[in-house]
Amino acid sequence: MARVAVVTGGTRGIGEAISKALKAAGYKVAANYAGNDEAAQKFKAATDIPVYKWDVSNFEACGAGLKQIESDLGPVDVLVNNAGITRDTMFHRMTAEQWNAVINTNLGSLFNMTRHVIEGMRARKFGRIVNISSINGQKGQMGQVNYSAAKAGEIGFTKALAQEGARSGITVNAICPGYIATEMVKAVPQDVLEKNILPQIPLGRLGEPEEIARCVVFLASDDAGFITGSTLTANGGQYLA
């Protein structure tokens, strides 16, 4: 019987690629999204993957959303915590709202989502949790103190929960993408991309969302059953952790 996989932020960018790749690998996929109804419905029509709308920074909303998914598809076997936002500014200009929005969505969502599925995974003696962190959670990034703090927190969350879940057959791993060719990165002016970003990447190009998705499919598989608490860097050699 096909395993059920939930991908937060699963209808656009890296999340879209992850959702598609998991479906192609035979999973029953549910894609969460926060607010872009047009993009979500376009994704659903193109992929036939069901979409579910809720705010991952809200604990109760996560519980209700996951309860609906389990009613529709079955118990959650694979959770991909991918949803994230940015509110970039230099720290001396950062507001409490900008700090809290990023921390609550990017890091708080890991608790909000995982807490609702972990007991079922423990009871069934199987689970795969994959957290999409960032290169900037490893090396830091000027103008992204909030984002870098949240993404670094995801790595700590991964390492600690991996130790708790191991005896119950639950693996917990993180992936740290570098610069990936999503809409957000492609919106960077071409001259900035060519002069400031690509020279930092030894491979000389942006990553593709599908390359991150293939990492997720592997970590979710039975083949990765002995890998837990790890951080997989996928950044073209830009930062070697």
Side-chain angles (χ1 to χ4, degrees):
M1 188 172 179
R3 288 173 175 159
V4 175
V6 175
V7 183
T8 65
T11 64
R12 299 172 63 197
I14 292 173
E16 177 182 2
I18 293 169
S19 296
K20 289 178 178 179
L22 286 169
K23 181 182 179 182
Y27 293 86
K28 291 194 290 185
V29 179
N32 152 268
Y33 75 103
N36 193 326
D37 294 313
E38 182 180 354
Q41 292 306 315
K42 183 178 179 181
F43 165 86
K44 180 180 178 181
T47 64
D48 201 31
I49 294 172
V51 298
Y52 298 83
K53 182 180 181 179
W54 75 81
D55 178 3
V56 294
S57 71
N58 183 300
F59 181 74
E60 288 76 19
C62 289
L66 286 164
K67 185 176 181 180
Q68 185 61 56
I69 289 171
E70 294 201 340
S71 175
D72 294 344
L73 303 179
V76 176
D77 302 297
V78 177
L79 172 61
V80 183
N81 288 308
N82 167 75
I85 62 171
T86 56
R87 296 290 186 270
D88 295 351
T89 189
M90 297 295 283
F91 186 74
H92 64 277
R93 299 191 187 100
M94 187 174 292
T95 65
E97 187 281 328
Q98 290 170 321
W99 172 266
N100 290 329
V102 170
I103 295 297
N104 292 342
T105 297
N106 296 18
L107 180 58
S109 63
L110 269 64
F111 175 83
N112 295 340
M113 290 294 296
T114 308
R115 184 64 184 84
H116 288 294
V117 301
I118 194 73
E119 291 185 52
M121 290 180 174
R122 286 171 59 87
R124 296 187 299 275
K125 299 296 183 184
F126 179 87
R128 295 284 187 268
I129 298 166
V130 183
N131 301 315
I132 308 301
S133 180
S134 169
I135 185 175
N136 293 339
Q138 296 175 301
K139 71 177 185 62
Q141 178 62 42
M142 185 169 66
Q144 285 195 327
V145 171
N146 49 3
Y147 185 84
S148 295
K151 292 299 182 179
E154 290 190 28
I155 296 172
F157 177 101
T158 296
K159 291 179 177 180
L161 188 59
Q163 295 175 58
E164 294 187 17
R167 292 293 179 91
S168 298
I170 303 167
T171 66
V172 189
N173 294 288
I175 299 172
C176 288
Y179 283 93
I180 307 299
T182 60
E183 289 180 20
M184 182 174 66
V185 173
K186 288 179 179 178
V188 174
Q190 189 66 26
D191 61 326
V192 174
L193 193 67
E194 293 179 355
K195 293 178 182 178
N196 299 333
I197 295 177
L198 293 180
Q200 300 178 36
I201 306 172
L203 285 182
R205 65 173 178 85
L206 300 175
E208 295 296 331
E210 292 76 16
E211 292 178 298
I212 305 304
R214 288 194 287 271
C215 295
V216 173
V217 171
F218 170 65
L219 290 174
S221 72
D222 289 337
D223 290 339
F226 199 60
I227 301 173
T228 194
S230 71
T231 302
L232 177 58
T233 60
N235 60 36
Q238 182 180 352
Y239 182 78
L240 306 178

